[in-house]
Amino acid sequence: MKIGLGYDVHKLVKNRDLILGGVKINHEKGLLGHSDADVLLHSIMDALLGAASLGDIGRHFPDTDIQYKNISSLTLLKKVNDLINKKEYKIINIDCCIIAQRPKIFPYINEMKNNICSSLNITLDQLNIKATTEEGLGFTGKEEGISCQSICLLN
């Protein structure tokens, strides 16, 4: 068994779509990044890559490479799943926590879970997504950005 931990953060800016878990969320700001800046999927990918001792997403999908400009992180998640499968690992479970003052995440969690489970070929009971605020504290509490932490277990 191998455990992996992932973390990602992106700044909230105007004139960008807010994409979390492959779901476009109605919000006045979106996350700034080279790809779609999906912090949930980026943290999951880093957890999976870390557990498999395969580095991180920056190593596999550098932000200096034009082919990843505005790419859907669901596409990248499928590529990470291919890397995990090549090493013959099986995902046991993934647990994630999105940290954002706004918008409320709960209404979107089922769609996020469906997207992620489909991309990773896992069942819904192998994935947990939760969200929390920081009670107005820090950069997420001041709505300057959104972060996410993920942990996974591979066998």
Side-chain angles (χ1 to χ4, degrees):
M1 300 257 187
K2 299 193 82 167
I3 297 170
L5 176 66
Y7 173 79
D8 195 43
V9 60
H10 285 276
K11 181 179 180 177
L12 281 164
V13 296
K14 292 184 179 186
N15 301 314
R16 285 277 296 193
D17 289 334
L18 178 57
I19 310 291
L20 293 172
V23 177
K24 184 177 177 181
I25 296 173
N26 186 21
H27 193 59
E28 66 270 12
K29 292 182 178 179
L31 294 169
L32 181 63
H34 184 69
S35 67
D36 62 6
D38 188 327
V39 294
L40 173 58
L41 297 185
H42 292 185
S43 70
I44 290 171
M45 287 187 276
D46 269 346
L48 292 168
L49 290 167
S53 300
L54 291 171
D56 61 21
I57 60 173
R59 174 178 161 196
H60 295 276
F61 316 112
D63 63 7
T64 55
D65 193 329
I66 193 69
Q67 72 177 314
Y68 304 120
K69 181 74 175 160
N70 296 319
I71 194 168
S72 168
S73 293
L74 285 171
T75 300
L76 301 179
L77 184 63
K78 290 175 186 174
K79 291 176 185 275
V80 167
N81 194 45
D82 291 342
L83 293 169
I84 300 303
N85 289 333
K86 282 181 188 172
K87 287 194 82 172
E88 298 184 1
Y89 285 116
K90 181 181 180 215
I91 298 170
I92 304 302
N93 78 310
I94 301 170
D95 187 29
C96 311
C97 185
I98 301 167
I99 301 111
Q101 194 66 33
R102 284 188 326 112
K104 292 296 182 191
I105 304 300
F106 180 76
Y108 305 97
I109 287 178
N110 286 337
E111 189 176 356
M112 291 176 188
K113 287 184 71 170
N114 286 329
N115 287 343
I116 295 164
C117 289
S118 176
S119 295
L120 293 175
N121 297 312
I122 61 175
T123 60
L124 292 171
D125 66 346
Q126 291 175 277
L127 174 65
N128 188 56
I129 300 172
K130 53 196 175 284
T132 191
T133 69
E134 290 193 306
E135 304 295 329
L137 299 172
F139 71 90
T140 57
K142 293 176 183 167
E143 299 182 41
E144 296 171 359
I146 295 176
S147 66
C148 186
Q149 299 176 10
S150 297
I151 191 165
C152 73
L153 181 63
L154 302 180
N155 190 15

